[in-house]
Amino acid sequence: MTQKKLKEMEYGESGVVIELRGSRHDLNCLGIRKGKRLEMITRQPIKGPVVVLAEGVEVAMGLEIAALVVVEV
C-alpha cells in the first residue's frame, strides 16, 4: 500500500484515511475521519476544489485542506 495526500489521488482512486494533519474539528465537520474510505470524484488542477465520495456523501474542499489528509491507497 502507498500513502498519499488526498490532493494527490487520481480520479477514481480510493483509499482509507490514516492521518489528519490539520484541525481535526474542521475535517470532522466535513465528514473526514481516520479510518474512513474515500474515493476521488474530481480534482481541479490549479486551485481546486477536490471532491471525494465519503460513504455515499460527496464532500468538496480546497486543495489546502486536501493536503492535510493522508490516505493509504
Side-chain angles (χ1 to χ4, degrees), residues 6-7 30 47-51 59-68:
L6 181 58
K7 74 174 195 168
L30 292 172
K47 294 190 178 189
V50 169
V51 180
V59 179
M61 66 192 81
L63 287 175
E64 303 82 23
I65 299 295
L68 302 175

Side-chain angles (χ1 to χ4, degrees):
M1 294 264 171
T2 304
Q3 293 182 5
K4 291 184 176 183
K5 292 179 183 175
L6 181 58
K7 74 174 195 168
E8 298 168 342
M9 289 175 63
E10 300 296 329
Y11 173 78
E13 192 170 35
S14 63
V16 176
V17 177
I18 59 169
E19 184 180 351
L20 301 173
R21 295 184 177 165
S23 166
R24 279 183 169 59
H25 175 73
D26 291 344
L27 292 166
N28 284 335
C29 287
L30 292 172
I32 307 298
R33 296 173 182 84
K34 284 177 76 172
K36 186 166 272 196
R37 177 164 289 284
L38 304 177
E39 180 182 347
M40 179 63 71
I41 301 298
T42 186
R43 181 187 74 201
Q44 300 301 317
I46 304 297
K47 294 190 178 189
V50 169
V51 180
V52 295
L53 191 62
E55 296 182 1
V57 178
E58 287 189 12
V59 179
M61 66 192 81
L63 287 175
E64 303 82 23
I65 299 295
L68 302 175
V69 180
V70 179
V71 295
E72 188 168 72
V73 295

